[in-house]
Amino acid sequence: FLMAATDPQVLALAAQITESREQDIPLLLLKLKGILDSPSLGCEESKKIKQDIYDYGLTQYCLLILKRDHSQLHGAWATAAQLAEILSHCCVGLEMKEDPEEFYKNFLPSAIDSLLILGKRLQARFIRAIKDKEKQDFLHWFQIVTDAICWLFRGHVRLAACVLQNDRFLQLLITDDVEIAIIMMSMLNNILRINSTVLLQVEEETLHSVLDELVYKLSSTTNPAVGSAATKLLLLVAKFCKQLVQLFTARYKGLKGLLSKQWIGKGFDRELNQLLDLLYLEQSSGKGEMQKQHQAACIIQAVWRGFQTRKRLKKLPQAVTTLQRSFRAKREQELQQLTKQKEDETLKLQMQLQRQRAMRLFHERQLALLEVVHASQVNKYMEEMEEKSALAIQRFWRGYRARRIFHQQKQSLKEYKAAIIIQRAACKFLEKQRRRRPLSPWKEPKGLTDEQRLSLQQKVDDYIKLHPASQMSEETSKELHMQAQAKLAQFLLRSRLDQRAAQRREALLTQVNTDVELLMNAPGLAETTEKDLGAFMSRSVPVATKARQSHNTMLKCTRWPWWKKLGDEFMEDSAIPDDAINTELESLFIGRRK
């Protein structure tokens, strides 16, 4: 059915392209221009032919050839420009009913990109050309490509935003060549006339880039053609997009002065005056709006200041009360400090007077004693007093030094005990691991060879010859035996005496430790009772006290948290650590006396 409805010219051209070489395809595709420009075609017939061209892939062929290196084509850039024109004519008026998403979202944007790439290459060739004839040719082909782009987005309005957002369009617009700049601004003019809101659809960065380039062309050139094209474009933007006029006045503050000073009298005063009127109107409306906002701000500030003043006046009595209260409190504090300072000075003076009075009484008592004591005993008495004083001073100093050393060694003693606990736990853990480790298989020692056995026997015989054994008589051996028995008896007797002396020393040391601990824990003389004196008079009370303390220590050990029982988890049997009990029992005296 498709073959019967297909145009015979398109069908023959498709068959010819299929059978031709790759380098001949561009010239064959140029025949599409004659098919499309046939005067006998009506509107419906033209759409049908364009549909057939697309269905047979001839449009895709044109797009693929435009992406290739055009210098290798037959006819080079002229062929490329004609193919661009053919591609735009084939796409305009084509309505896709099957798979429209592929055509509108992929094929048409790709065609726009290919045409802009071709325009960029033609612009580069135009800049590098030296001869005028070559420049005119490249400019003519560039004009054909831009017309093809305009023709394409006239048929498909949604492509206008795609053209503006393309980076190559901005690259073509940002040029110093007068001819290229005029052509690109003409294309932009056509885009705005076809889709007046396209500038509001593109990204803000793209919009600013386009407007920046137009304003730059007005400020950097004196060519009337460029100035006229840029002015007409800005006027068109201001008319179609009213909200962009405010952007002109805010972003380009010197634009009005630039237009009025540099471009008046250049042949396009009518468009220039219209643009200036729009800018001045926006500025005046902006000033009126700013004046209204200024008046509104002044009113708000006045109302706020009045509110704050009334609020402060309401709080004034409370503030005065607070100020008076704080002043009285401060004055009361100063009076208390002065009273305390006076009391401290009075107390210091009284203590000084008491010290002086006591010193005077002491000297008077000494003088009285000297009067009573015989003259020959005075020196002896003074020596005894000096010795007692020295002993008292030494006693106080030794007590102070011992207490200081004890406090300094307290922390190190704790660390030492903690280190012992950790080391004991680690040793037990390692011993457990060693026991669990499987024993290595038994390896029998290597036997001696005959040569080794003979050499060892020879060494033994030589040693016996050099060191012969001494023979001892029976009487001599009995005498040596009796001497050994006597020395052994003396040793056993001495060891028994030494053991008793060691036990006695341990008992004395234990008694001293118990007395020292009782003295350290005893209350002061002012708080001493008869019950406390009984602890020092009787030896059974300290023993009972230490036994009770040891019992409490054992109970406390059972309630210890896990981190204090760190060594217990490696013990064979659950038991209370011995060092805690030994620490308490080391100083326990069992009642032994001399």
Side-chain angles (χ1 to χ4, degrees), residues 30-227:
L30 294 178
K31 295 180 181 180
L32 289 173
K33 186 175 182 180
I35 297 173
L36 294 171
D37 294 342
S38 177
S40 60
L41 293 177
C43 182
E44 294 297 330
E45 294 173 349
S46 178
K47 289 182 180 180
K48 182 64 176 63
I49 288 176
K50 291 178 182 179
Q51 185 67 41
D52 293 341
I53 292 172
Y54 182 81
D55 291 339
Y56 277 96
L58 300 181
T59 310
Q60 289 83 347
Y61 266 116
C62 292
L63 184 59
L64 291 174
I65 291 172
L66 288 177
K67 293 180 179 180
R68 290 172 49 189
D69 186 7
H70 307 95
S71 60
Q72 298 179 0
L73 298 177
H74 290 290
W77 300 102
T79 304
Q82 292 178 12
L83 288 176
E85 187 178 8
I86 292 171
L87 177 63
S88 64
H89 282 78
C90 289
C91 293
V92 173
L94 183 60
E95 296 179 0
M96 295 299 299
K97 296 181 180 179
E98 296 180 0
D99 198 8
E101 186 175 356
E102 172 67 23
F103 179 72
Y104 290 109
K105 291 187 178 180
N106 295 330
F107 183 77
L108 289 179
S110 178
I112 288 291
D113 190 61
S114 299
L115 293 176
L116 288 173
I117 290 174
L118 178 59
K120 183 65 179 174
R121 292 175 179 174
L122 288 172
Q123 180 199 20
R125 296 281 180 169
F126 173 78
I127 294 171
R128 290 199 297 266
I130 300 174
K131 297 180 181 180
D132 294 338
K133 180 65 170 62
E134 292 180 354
K135 280 185 170 293
Q136 293 297 325
D137 291 340
F138 282 115
L139 185 62
H140 174 66
W141 295 329
F142 182 78
Q143 182 69 53
I144 292 174
V145 173
T146 54
D147 291 343
I149 296 172
C150 294
W151 182 263
L152 189 58
F153 64 69
R154 277 197 189 99
H156 303 280
V157 180
R158 67 184 68 181
L159 291 177
C162 181
V163 174
L164 284 180
Q165 290 179 348
N166 197 296
D167 294 337
R168 293 176 183 83
F169 174 79
L170 294 176
Q171 294 172 5
L172 290 172
L173 183 64
I174 303 172
T175 181
D176 294 333
D177 296 314
V178 177
E179 294 86 353
I180 300 293
I182 293 173
I183 293 174
M184 292 307 300
M185 285 190 286
S186 175
M187 182 194 296
L188 183 58
N189 195 336
N190 291 330
I191 292 173
L192 293 176
R193 292 186 180 279
I194 292 169
N195 188 356
S196 58
T197 60
V198 68
L199 291 177
L200 300 177
Q201 299 173 5
V202 298
E203 297 178 357
E204 186 178 0
E205 184 179 357
T206 303
L207 173 62
H208 289 171
S209 299
V210 172
L211 297 178
D212 290 347
E213 182 59 25
L214 294 177
V215 175
Y216 173 76
K217 290 184 183 304
L218 288 172
S219 62
S220 63
T221 184
T222 57
N223 192 308
V226 176

Side-chain angles (χ1 to χ4, degrees), residues 192 272 419 454 494 547:
L192 293 176
L272 187 63
L454 290 174
R494 194 185 306 111

Side-chain angles (χ1 to χ4, degrees), residues 493-509 592:
L493 181 60
R494 194 185 306 111
S495 64
R496 191 175 298 126
L497 293 175
D498 292 341
Q499 186 176 4
R500 289 178 181 176
Q503 289 177 356
R504 182 173 174 277
R505 283 196 301 272
E506 289 179 1
L508 289 174
L509 287 174
R592 180 173 295 180

Side-chain angles (χ1 to χ4, degrees), residues 310-348:
R310 288 189 295 273
K311 188 176 179 181
R312 283 197 296 271
L313 289 174
K314 287 181 180 179
K315 290 184 178 181
L316 188 59
Q318 185 180 359
V320 172
T321 305
T322 305
L323 181 62
Q324 291 175 351
R325 187 187 301 113
S326 61
F327 174 74
R328 293 192 187 101
K330 186 176 181 181
R331 187 175 61 182
E332 184 69 24
Q333 187 177 3
E334 291 177 354
L335 290 174
Q336 289 178 0
Q337 290 179 356
L338 289 173
T339 306
K340 186 177 180 181
Q341 186 177 359
K342 288 181 180 179
E343 290 177 355
D344 292 342
E345 291 177 356
T346 305
L347 181 62
K348 186 176 180 182

Side-chain angles (χ1 to χ4, degrees), residues 3 6-20 28-29 31-32 35 52-53 56 58:
M3 295 294 295
T6 302
D7 186 82
Q9 294 180 354
V10 176
L11 184 60
L13 183 59
Q16 191 176 0
I17 288 173
T18 305
E19 297 172 357
S20 301
L28 294 174
L29 289 173
K31 295 180 181 180
L32 289 173
I35 297 173
D52 293 341
I53 292 172
Y56 277 96
L58 300 181

Side-chain angles (χ1 to χ4, degrees), residues 450-472:
D450 295 337
E451 295 178 357
Q452 292 175 348
R453 191 178 291 105
L454 290 174
S455 63
L456 288 174
Q457 186 65 36
Q458 184 66 31
K459 289 180 181 179
V460 170
D461 294 340
D462 294 341
Y463 182 81
I464 292 173
K465 290 178 182 179
L466 291 174
H467 305 86
S470 60
Q471 295 180 358
M472 186 180 296

